Amino acid sequence: MSLMDEVAAIYAGAEETRPTALIGEFRRTAVLVPLDSQGGLWTAEFQGIHWIHAFTDESALARFAATRQETDPGEAVHDWEYRTVLGARLLDTVIPAVGEPTGVALDVGGERPMMFPPVTGIVPEAVALDAALDAALDVVTDQGAVDAAHTDATPETTPGAASGATSEATP
């Protein structure tokens, strides 16, 4: 199935949605990414995550531009310049280069928008938010194990203390 077929299946509530297939189709699809006034990829920030806006075709981009004009009358009417970028390049190269949590918002302003958040299985693990959370939890868990080991420890000789003096390990 094509990317749009995979998106449609999710919106239709298909019994067996295939997130892996959806991500695979996005990776293989060339999408249009509008440029901002400085020539960079157009993004919006929401709750600490930057979202690169991408569109499946020019009509989807035009709908987005029209929506922007309606919701922000100060937005100048202009032709939107864009780059055609393979989805895999956005996920594997562009997002890691941003240096901040970044995902892709596909066809925002359209009938079937789709979000590709910065999580494992979508973006490289090095920039995936859930991988960072898992690593932080591992550190906390490892520290908890170290603390527990010290709490259960038997009295030890304190270095530099008088012969025979002991102290208990503390957490």
Side-chain angles (χ1 to χ4, degrees):
M1 286 200 287
S2 72
L3 174 61
M4 293 312 299
D5 291 338
E6 294 291 345
V7 170
I10 289 173
Y11 274 91
E15 285 185 31
E16 286 192 37
T17 57
R18 305 172 335 150
T20 304
L22 172 69
I23 295 164
E25 286 303 324
F26 178 76
R27 296 177 69 73
R28 289 184 286 277
T29 301
V31 293
L32 310 179
V33 181
L35 303 178
D36 63 18
S37 60
Q38 289 83 36
L41 301 181
W42 203 90
T43 63
E45 188 267 333
F46 181 72
Q47 294 186 350
I49 297 176
H50 297 272
W51 295 94
I52 297 171
H53 287 57
F55 300 89
T56 52
D57 56 32
E58 287 183 341
S59 62
L61 175 56
R63 281 190 299 275
F64 171 73
T67 301
R68 292 275 308 151
Q69 180 61 36
E70 290 172 12
T71 59
D72 185 3
E75 177 83 20
V77 175
H78 63 283
D79 289 334
W80 285 64
E81 291 185 51
Y82 62 86
R83 296 273 186 267
T84 301
V85 183
L86 199 58
R89 185 166 174 82
L90 282 176
L91 299 176
D92 298 340
T93 305
V94 174
I95 287 175
V98 172
E100 297 181 55
T102 304
V104 176
L106 181 69
D107 288 345
V108 173
E111 294 176 8
R112 296 179 176 155
M114 187 60 56
M115 308 301 273
F116 295 91
V119 296
T120 304
I122 297 178
V123 300
E125 190 170 323
V127 296
L129 292 179
D130 57 330
L133 178 60
D134 288 347
L137 290 174
D138 285 345
V139 168
V140 169
T141 302
D142 290 346
Q143 184 59 46
V146 169
D147 290 346
H150 283 293
T151 303
D152 296 337
T154 56
E156 304 173 349
T157 303
T158 304
S163 178
T166 62
S167 69
E168 289 191 28
T170 58

